[in-house]
Amino acid sequence: MSFIDSHQHYWTLGLGHNDWPGPDLAPIFRDFGPDDLKPHLTAAGIGRTVLVQAAPNVAETEFLLEIAAREETVAAVVGWVDILAADAGSELRRLKTHPKFKGIRPMLQGIDETAWILRSEAIATLELLPQMDLRFDALVQPRHLPVIAALADRLPDLAVVVDHGAKPFIAEGRLEPWATDMAALARRPNVHVKLSGLVTEAGGGWSVERLRPYAAHLIEVFGAERVMFGSDWPVVLLDAGYAEWFAAARALTANCTEAERQAIFLGTAARFYGISAV
């Protein structure tokens, strides 16, 4: 039984979809495709991945779906649509014709208005997702956690997953108010979380011990059945290799039972995104 990586990216910079990363981020300022990732997946025993958007345009989502159509390792695609647009529903229906299109991710971390996702136009689009068997990836920062809690209350049928543990302040060694707000959010049963992105929030001086309080808190408040492993490759390459982060994630879950680890590295992502666990 192989694992699932619930969060990775591909991009081809020359196509013009992506205005990020820039040349200031030298380790990831190049094209990344399936052939670059496959050796890492094989080494880690990961058979399938969730391919996530990295640019706020539908052209990139279509590019990712083209990759998914020919790559067996890609089990699901999380794309982007303009959720404030009047035609957002028809755009979702069009993308949903691809069997691997499983959800959307508005890039909330880059929007100054913290409560933007609660706008009436956004709510009207998000209400459609459960009806279409689609999920919502929340790319957020700690400031957004009360807003995501309000969204989960407003739309209890919406399947939500918080990417990268909401990017806690690991480099500063701060747990609060992130820890309290995350515990409150975890009381909403429709919300899940990704054990991903922690290395880049810690920065170059990261270690398993520095990450441990944050990972332990996520597992404690959500329970393994709502936590899923993600690599955030290739962004993780800013501070660690794929194998390094995978080994760290295994170390961070060493105190879990085997059943809990199976959930974190396989079962939660399979259930959440509606993909096979075999």
Side-chain angles (χ1 to χ4, degrees):
M1 184 177 293
S2 62
F3 301 131
I4 294 175
D5 178 346
S6 74
H7 199 104
Q8 56 93 189
H9 308 284
Y10 293 134
W11 54 66
T12 300
L13 299 179
L15 294 177
H17 304 147
N18 304 77
D19 58 7
W20 184 94
D24 56 318
L25 298 175
I28 60 173
F29 184 59
R30 66 173 180 85
D31 297 347
F32 288 93
D35 289 343
D36 299 301
L37 181 57
K38 284 176 183 176
H40 302 298
L41 299 179
T42 300
I46 293 171
R48 286 154 302 152
T49 72
V50 178
L51 179 55
V52 181
Q53 65 82 230
N57 59 74
V58 174
E60 191 225 25
T61 297
E62 292 171 339
F63 166 73
L64 300 180
L65 289 170
E66 289 172 6
I67 293 176
R70 62 178 184 265
E71 291 293 336
E72 290 186 7
T73 55
V74 178
V77 171
V78 176
W80 182 93
V81 299
D82 181 357
I83 64 173
L84 300 186
D87 66 347
S90 60
E91 190 78 315
L92 287 170
R93 284 187 287 274
R94 182 181 70 83
L95 293 170
K96 187 68 170 63
T97 60
H98 193 296
K100 292 185 179 180
F101 180 70
K102 297 292 185 176
I104 60 170
R105 184 174 83 147
M107 305 183 80
L108 303 184
Q109 69 172 10
I111 298 172
D112 289 337
E113 183 185 341
T114 300
W116 180 91
I117 196 63
L118 298 180
R119 289 188 179 191
S120 59
E121 304 97 320
I123 294 294
T125 298
L126 296 180
E127 284 178 329
L128 301 174
L129 298 186
Q131 305 168 27
M132 302 174 70
D133 192 28
L134 295 173
R135 294 89 181 146
F136 173 70
D137 266 59
L139 177 60
V140 298
Q141 298 165 330
R143 65 187 170 102
H144 295 99
L145 291 175
V147 173
I148 299 301
L151 177 67
D153 289 340
R154 179 83 173 267
L155 301 175
D157 294 330
L158 178 66
V160 179
V161 62
V162 176
D163 293 347
H164 314 321
K167 300 194 168 186
F169 306 109
I170 304 175
E172 301 173 23
R174 290 170 51 198
L175 277 166
E176 296 296 346
W178 170 85
T180 296
D181 289 341
M182 191 61 86
L185 180 59
R187 291 196 286 270
R188 280 74 180 178
N190 55 324
V191 181
H192 300 63
V193 69
K194 291 186 181 181
L195 183 64
S196 64
L198 301 186
V199 164
T200 43
E201 294 310 308
W206 77 274
S207 67
V208 169
E209 290 311 307
R210 288 190 67 192
L211 303 183
R212 192 177 301 281
Y214 302 89
H217 185 65
L218 293 176
I219 296 168
E220 177 185 359
V221 299
F222 280 92
E225 70 280 358
R226 289 192 287 146
V227 177
M228 62 186 83
F229 165 78
S231 67
D232 198 26
W233 182 94
V235 181
V236 69
L237 300 178
L238 292 171
D239 292 291
Y242 194 106
E244 285 181 279
W245 165 236
F246 183 73
R250 297 296 281 173
L252 292 168
T253 57
N255 292 332
C256 295
T257 66
E258 187 56 33
E260 289 171 336
R261 292 180 104 191
Q262 281 294 103
I264 292 169
F265 289 92
L266 175 65
T268 302
R271 186 177 64 256
F272 181 83
Y273 285 109
I275 55 184
S276 171
V278 179

